[in-house]
């Protein structure tokens, strides 16, 4: 048996609840309340790319204790975990380049 369409109030569109428009002069008010809420607190927004620096995301898998320690260190240093990882990776690459140049 095919699905039967849902009857809607005159002047009301099914999409009104999703896009904030209210076809029946009041609608459900779902989006109206969302616009009044303050921005979500919690995580800091991601770093903005500095002029001339190309920042990209990189996924790495680490042990849980390493991640936990990294996050604690980042908080104590007042940096993001990404900044600490970037510093560590840059230092490791410098050592690797120096070692590769000796052989």
């Amino acid at each position: 048996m095919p699905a039967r369409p849902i009857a809607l109030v005159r002047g009301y569109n099914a999409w009104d609840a999703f896009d904030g428009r209210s076809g029946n002069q009041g609608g459900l008010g779902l989006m109206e309340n969302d616009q009044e809420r303050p921005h979500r607190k919690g995580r800091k927004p991601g770093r903005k790319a500095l002029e001339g620096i190309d920042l990209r995301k990189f996924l790495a898998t680490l042990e849980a204790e390493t991640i936990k320690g990294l996050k604690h260190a980042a908080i104590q240093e007042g940096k993001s975990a990404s900044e600490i990882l970037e510093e560590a990776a840059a230092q490791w690459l410098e050592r690797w380049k120096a070692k590769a140049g000796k052989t």
Side-chain angles (χ1 to χ4, degrees), residues 24-74:
N24 62 354
Q25 276 55 24
L28 297 176
L30 295 176
M31 297 299 289
E32 295 164 14
N33 292 339
D34 289 343
Q35 295 171 354
E36 295 173 9
R37 277 192 266 156
H39 290 291
R40 182 178 155 207
K41 294 181 182 178
R43 292 183 178 196
K44 293 188 282 186
R47 284 197 305 168
K48 301 267 192 251
L50 300 174
E51 190 173 324
I53 298 177
D54 182 23
L55 295 179
R56 297 181 186 197
K57 291 186 178 192
F58 179 79
L59 176 67
T61 304
L62 303 171
E63 292 182 10
E65 286 300 314
T66 303
I67 294 170
K68 186 176 178 180
L70 178 66
K71 288 181 177 183
H72 284 290

Side-chain angles (χ1 to χ4, degrees), residues 12-24:
Y12 179 75
N13 181 321
W15 291 104
D16 290 343
F18 298 102
D19 65 9
R21 293 180 292 172
S22 54
N24 62 354

Side-chain angles (χ1 to χ4, degrees), residues 20-21 32 49 54 60-61 64 79 83-85 91 95-96:
R21 293 180 292 172
E32 295 164 14
D54 182 23
T61 304
K79 297 181 178 183
E83 290 171 318
I84 292 177
L85 283 173
Q91 290 173 7
R95 289 193 310 266
W96 180 78

